């Protein structure tokens, strides 16, 4: 994160804000917080499979929005 430019960080933040709250939660718990599927399911109150589906959908959206960074 230290080597990320402010512009890049802002782009990522804006892209994350476009996600549905449930998708943002999946990204936060599974990717940013690094929880296991079981832990994330307990925290979110939904099955791990649902979280992984939401993460999949979020990644597709983020890939489209951040295509210039990848």
């Amino acid at each position: 994160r230290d080597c990320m430019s402010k512009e890049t960080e802002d782009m990522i933040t804006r892209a994350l804000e476009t996600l549905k709250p449930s998708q943002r939660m999946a990204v936060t718990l599974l990717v940013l917080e690094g929880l296991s599927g079981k832990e994330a399911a307990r925290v979110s109150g939904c099955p791990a499979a649902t979280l992984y589906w939401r993460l999949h959908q979020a990644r597709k959206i983020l890939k489209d929005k951040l295509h210039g960074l990848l």
Side-chain angles (χ1 to χ4, degrees):
R1 182 179 172 141
D2 292 334
C3 64
M4 191 183 312
S5 74
K6 177 68 173 149
E7 181 181 347
T8 300
E9 189 174 333
D10 289 344
M11 287 176 66
I12 293 170
T13 299
R14 284 192 305 273
L16 286 169
E17 289 171 351
T18 68
L19 297 175
K20 293 178 184 177
S22 59
Q23 293 169 331
R24 204 167 33 252
M25 180 191 304
V27 170
T28 300
L29 294 175
L30 295 168
V31 178
L32 301 177
E33 296 293 328
L35 297 180
S36 70
K38 185 177 180 178
E39 293 169 322
R42 184 181 47 78
V43 170
S44 69
C46 68
T50 301
L51 283 174
Y52 283 115
W53 174 251
R54 291 173 180 168
L55 178 61
H56 171 73
Q57 293 297 317
R59 284 179 170 159
K60 286 175 28 180
I61 292 166
L62 293 173
K63 183 178 177 182
D64 287 342
K65 298 217 177 269
L66 299 171
H67 66 275
L69 295 178
L70 304 175

